[in-house]
Amino acid sequence: MTKYQPQKSFQLKIADVKRTWFILDATGKTLGRFASEITKILRGKHKPTFTSSIDGGDGVIVINADKIAVTGNKEATKEYTYHTGYVKGLRNIPYRTMMARHPTYVVEHATKRMMPRSRLANAQLKRLRIYAGAEHDMDAQKPIHATI
């Protein structure tokens, strides 16, 4: 008989991380579901070597951010809120106005809110590039077109 030996847990080493870049097309995708897929790739949860304390995620390039969709009545009711820092400085910007001014902010905001609030997540968010149109300038990274 052999003696029972417990299986060792896998821990990814920083030196073993291999990063790839993915291109995701936002045309016709639902905002929340699309942002959660981006978050999964940025954190590295799509890899079998996922380790929560190591930055093992990949880079994401989002194109056509101006063609993202929202469901229900969110286009008319969703608002983005910020505070200027002054008295009575609370400001609300409707979704339609934000899409007209900064369509990349909508995807960035949704993705950032789905990430954990930590220094590791801030480092992972630096590998997120969002473009309103179909063109991007990230050809040097040899990105792979991914389908979601």
Side-chain angles (χ1 to χ4, degrees):
M1 272 208 264
T2 60
K3 191 173 181 182
Y4 171 76
Q5 293 180 347
Q7 183 177 359
K8 291 184 179 181
S9 298
F10 176 79
Q11 290 292 318
L12 182 67
K13 312 279 188 302
I14 296 174
D16 297 336
V17 174
K18 292 179 177 55
R19 298 203 197 287
T20 57
W21 283 78
F22 293 99
I23 295 179
L24 302 178
D25 191 0
T27 305
K29 300 287 192 314
T30 306
L31 178 61
R33 293 174 188 270
F34 189 66
S36 66
E37 291 296 323
I38 294 171
T39 303
K40 189 184 342 178
I41 295 171
L42 287 175
R43 294 195 64 206
K45 288 189 137 189
H46 65 293
K47 295 180 176 181
T49 59
F50 173 70
T51 304
S52 61
S53 61
I54 300 294
D55 186 3
D58 293 327
V60 177
I61 303 165
V62 178
I63 57 174
N64 295 322
D66 55 348
K67 296 180 179 135
I68 196 87
V70 288
T71 59
N73 201 25
K74 290 187 200 86
E75 191 171 349
T77 59
K78 185 173 177 63
E79 290 183 336
Y80 293 92
T81 304
Y82 69 97
H83 199 282
T84 63
Y86 289 97
V87 177
K88 296 185 179 180
L90 191 64
R91 302 287 183 260
N92 295 322
I93 300 175
Y95 173 81
R96 289 179 180 153
T97 307
M98 188 61 80
M99 281 300 287
R101 291 181 189 168
H102 305 289
T104 59
Y105 177 80
V106 174
V107 178
E108 179 185 356
H109 185 262
T111 304
K112 186 174 182 179
R113 291 283 178 102
M114 289 190 184
M115 297 285 281
R117 277 61 167 187
S118 65
R119 286 178 286 177
L120 182 62
N122 292 340
Q124 292 167 340
L125 276 168
K126 290 180 182 176
R127 286 192 308 276
L128 175 64
R129 305 288 193 273
I130 304 171
Y131 297 94
E135 286 81 31
H136 62 88
D137 58 354
M138 304 287 290
D139 292 328
Q141 281 70 30
K142 298 184 180 97
I144 301 166
H145 286 276
T147 56
I148 293 177

